[in-house]
C-alpha cells in the first residue's frame, strides 16, 4: 500500500515504467483464464504469480516483506484482506532469504500500525519493500481466492 515516509516513496523511472506496463498487462489479459503459476511479462524485471488459495485467518500467518520487488496484489475472484505495516516496526521472525527475496515478520507491537486493505474482484493494492504485508486473509470466513501478485523489480 503506498502510504509511506517520503524517503520510501521514491520509485525511480524504471520502476514507474514497470508499474505502468504491469497495469496495462492486467487491463489487456483475460485473468479468469489465467492458469496458476508464473507468467513473465519482462523476465525477472516484471512477472506475475497467479494463485488460487483458501484465505486463512490473520493470527495463523506472518507478515512478509521483500527487498528487491514491489508487489501488486490484484483479486481476480473472491475477496481478501491484506494487513500492511511498516517493516521497521515488525519483529523479524525469519531472516531475509536473498534467493527468494523475502523475510518473515511478526505483528508490530502497536496494533494500530497495521492497516487492513479490503480487496474485492477487480481491485488492487501495491506493497513496496518498506511495507510488511500479510495477504490472503478473509474479510469474514476463509474462502477460495484467485489472485495475482505482480512482482515489479525496484532496481
Amino acid at each position: 500500500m503506498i502510504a509511506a515516509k517520503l524517503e520510501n516513496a521514491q520509485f525511480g523511472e524504471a520502476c514507474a515504467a514497470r508499474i505502468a506496463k504491469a497495469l496495462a498487462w492486467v487491463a489487456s489479459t483475460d485473468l479468469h483464464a489465467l492458469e496458476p503459476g508464473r507468467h513473465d511479462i519482462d523476465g525477472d524485471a516484471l512477472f506475475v504469480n497467479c494463485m488460487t488459495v483458501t484465505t486463512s485467518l490473520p493470527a495463523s500467518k506472518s507478515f512478509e516483506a521483500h527487498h528487491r520487488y514491489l508487489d501488486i496484489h490484484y483479486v481476480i475472484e473472491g475477496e481478501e484482506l491484506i494487513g500492511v505495516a511498516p517493516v521497521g516496526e515488525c519483529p523479524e521472525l525469519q531472516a531475509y532469504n536473498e534467493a527468494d527475496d523475502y523475510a518473515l515478520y511478526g505483528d508490530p507491537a502497536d496494533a494500530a500500525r497495521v492497516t487492513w486493505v479490503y480487496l474485492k474482484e477487480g481491485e488492487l493494492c501495491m506493497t513496496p519493500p518498506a511495507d510488511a504485508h500479510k495477504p490472503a486473509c478473509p474479510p469474514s470466513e476463509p474462502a477460495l481466492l484467485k489472485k495475482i501478485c505482480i512482482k515489479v523489480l525496484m532496481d
Side-chain angles (χ1 to χ4, degrees):
M1 180 179 78
I2 301 176
K5 291 182 179 181
L6 182 59
E7 65 265 18
N8 294 331
Q10 309 302 315
F11 298 115
E13 288 181 36
C15 183
R18 288 183 194 116
I19 291 170
K21 189 173 186 177
L23 297 177
W25 181 90
V26 169
S28 66
T29 301
D30 180 0
L31 299 175
H32 291 279
L34 196 63
E35 293 293 324
R38 179 176 165 149
H39 303 270
D40 287 348
I41 299 172
D42 187 11
D44 288 340
L46 183 61
F47 61 94
V48 175
N49 289 322
C50 180
M51 62 202 84
T52 300
V53 299
T54 299
T55 57
S56 53
L57 299 175
S60 70
K61 306 179 82 155
S62 301
F63 281 90
E64 63 183 69
H66 314 288
H67 290 188
R68 299 184 60 224
Y69 287 91
L70 172 145
D71 286 349
I72 302 174
H73 305 267
Y74 182 91
V75 173
I76 300 168
E77 296 172 10
E79 56 187 4
E80 80 174 314
L81 284 177
I82 300 177
V84 182
V87 71
E89 297 182 28
C90 299
E92 185 177 84
L93 300 176
Q94 182 178 314
Y96 178 69
N97 176 320
E98 188 172 347
D100 294 326
D101 187 44
Y102 80 96
L104 296 179
Y105 297 88
D107 293 348
D110 181 356
R113 295 297 285 156
V114 178
T115 299
W116 289 97
V117 180
Y118 172 49
L119 298 178
K120 296 187 338 183
E121 186 172 321
E123 297 178 341
L124 63 89
C125 172
M126 296 184 199
T127 54
D131 289 339
H133 49 284
K134 191 183 286 197
C137 297
S140 56
E141 296 297 319
L144 281 178
L145 168 70
K146 182 175 183 181
K147 70 177 284 186
I148 56 174
C149 182
I150 304 173
K151 307 295 283 185
V152 180
L153 185 65
M154 295 289 293
D155 299 346

